Amino acid sequence: MSRWNRPGGAAAAHLLVREGVEFDAVFALSDTLGLGVLRALGEEGLRVPDDVAVIGFDNIDESKWSVPSMTTVDPGRDEIAAIAVDRLIERINEKHERRPPETFKPDFRIIKRESTGFTSAGD
């Protein structure tokens, strides 16, 4: 069974609270984990973002619609897809020696939402 899902995020948050770990924020490795964290913190009687701020990573649709809406890091999937398609087409059409490896860095951005104290649901 995978721990990289909502129940895994919830279990981790429950464990932190029950072991008495003091924390005022959680940065979840994914929005899916973050959604589980949001649920568990509420079950533990903690208020988000008043007691604990929560931020996820990957900007899935559900993060915008959770209550509270969850702040997230958008990793630039559209840009990554466009770069990948462009490089693939370029590789298919190569008639000369292959180009050396390149590094591409898409623009990450934080989508500010209610789980970190912003009143707007972001985009």
Side-chain angles (χ1 to χ4, degrees):
M1 182 169 122
S2 173
R3 293 185 182 172
W4 303 105
N5 52 26
R6 288 171 182 83
H14 282 301
L15 184 64
L16 286 171
V17 172
R18 292 176 184 165
E19 289 192 353
V21 176
E22 292 185 30
F23 61 98
D24 61 5
V26 173
F27 189 146
L29 184 61
S30 70
D31 284 357
T32 300
L33 288 168
L35 292 168
V37 169
L38 285 176
R39 173 71 181 223
L41 292 174
E43 291 171 353
E44 294 288 346
L46 294 168
R47 298 167 300 152
V48 175
D50 299 327
D51 300 322
V52 179
V54 177
I55 184 169
F57 185 95
D58 62 14
N59 194 26
I60 62 172
D61 288 339
E62 291 91 335
S63 63
K64 183 175 183 176
W65 299 104
S66 63
V67 177
S69 60
M70 188 169 56
T71 294
T72 185
V73 176
D74 183 332
R77 281 190 306 265
D78 292 341
E79 184 180 356
I80 292 168
I83 290 169
V85 169
D86 289 346
R87 297 293 82 78
L88 179 59
I89 291 170
E90 186 177 285
R91 176 62 67 84
I92 290 169
N93 293 326
E94 271 182 351
K95 304 264 189 271
H96 48 78
E97 190 172 319
R98 290 192 173 173
R99 291 170 41 172
E102 296 178 73
T103 300
F104 298 93
K105 296 180 182 179
D107 291 330
F108 287 72
R109 64 189 180 108
I110 296 175
I111 309 297
K112 299 173 184 175
R113 296 190 179 122
E114 297 163 334
S115 69
T116 53
F118 291 91
T119 55
S120 169
D123 35 299

